[in-house]
Amino acid sequence: MLYPHLAVKDPDIHRIILSELDRRRRGIDMIPSENVTSVAVLDALGSILTDKYSEGYPGKRYYGGNEFIDQIEELARERAKALFGVTHANVQPYSGSPANQAVYMALCNPGDTVLGLSLAFGGHLTHGLKVNFSGVYYHATNYVTGADGRLDYDAIQKQAEELRPKMIVCGATAYPRQIDFQRMAAIAQSVDAFLLADISHIAGLVVGGVHPSPVGHADVVTTTTHKTLRGPRGAMILCNGLPSTPLKSVERTRENIPTLVDRAVFPGLQGGPHNHQTAAIAVALKEAAAPEFKIYAKQIVSNAQTLADALIQKGYSLVTGGTDTHLILMDVTTRGLTGIEAEVALGKAGITVNKNSVPNDPRKPFDPSGIRFGTPALTSRGMKEPEALEIAEYMDAALCHHTDDSFLSDIQRKVTMLALKFKPYPELDAAL
Ligand SMILES: *Cc1c(COP(=O)(O)O)cnc(C)c1O
């Protein structure tokens, strides 16, 4: 039996977890920010490390008994540094949003101008949405994509010159093309701004060598560990330089970024690190350093491009006309649907996507024109180009018959047959 102790102690939670596993096994999850971790990562995540308090950093803790916790955090930091080619890594942020918050706190004063990609054009909440901390405590300004849906670097340059931001944020949650980090760095340097590259979505592609790295261009890099990187929910802050001795006041200069970042994470924003999460991040980083991970990353992009090409051939309208990454943004209004209708129809067919705004969307954010989907999770399950083509057929069929529930459940049966051939956690199946 899976999770036998839980089954005895709390049958309600146990039953619900098994239902969620069953949902994953029978469907195809295409939320581009989701993935399937290894059971080794899950082992570390579910370990006894969760019980330990260890405020501070390795060698400088506010609690005793941390000799082994120190070894774990050191390993995670060393692996992160080696994998991304940086000299400093903070692996304590609880998740991507707190990691970004820490960088704002490290590099900006409240009220400073920050320039980031608008949420409505693919940016993240933490890149300057008015109701997010980034828009409440900072003077958040936004750039948008050009008419072709791609970043317009000339326009960003002009805007940066007008606004003179303290920090520019690049990176996205719904952008299907490569980001030119070198160009963004040139823009930031020309106006003496810090550049934060948030590679949460694409970290696995960067590690796998199928997306250029921001390292060497951006002053600071943040990333979640649970998206294409295929680790546990968590985040890291990466930069070059070394932290200085603590306790003296530190000016906001480039040289001081490692110290500023460490202090912003703790004690600035967080208390005790989540040591089970740190251990699981270390495991995921080891997996990402293995040669197979490069093959995996290539396959993610190849699957996404195969799917994108098939949908274009069927007459669908993709933002920017395709993808360089793991992610596809599709305007469904050209086929007479809204994003919600498409999300619901695909959901009934066993394919999970999310409704999403498209650039210059005439519709409202909670009822947008598009859907966003991607291939990291299905690629982790071992699906390749033939399956991507099969999925394109099912998506098209579901969208063409979106009001016909019995047709949709027919599709769902086919989707389930495909899904069951590619188990998300094969090792767990043995215990079911
Ligand atoms: C997912 C994401 C985040 C936030 O991560 P959470 O773990 O959900 O807080 C931040 N930035 C970008 C670009 C993301 O895609």
Side-chain angles (χ1 to χ4, degrees), residues 33 94-100 122-127 169-174 197-202 222-227 233-235 372:
S33 49
Y94 299 145
S95 208
S97 301
N100 284 344
H124 190 257
L125 306 168
T126 57
H127 298 186
V169 185
C170 63
T173 65
D198 175 356
I199 59 167
S200 289
H201 258 263
I202 56 170
T222 54
T223 182
T224 55
T225 47
H226 50 278
K227 297 180 184 175
R233 211 151 273 284
R372 182 188 77 143

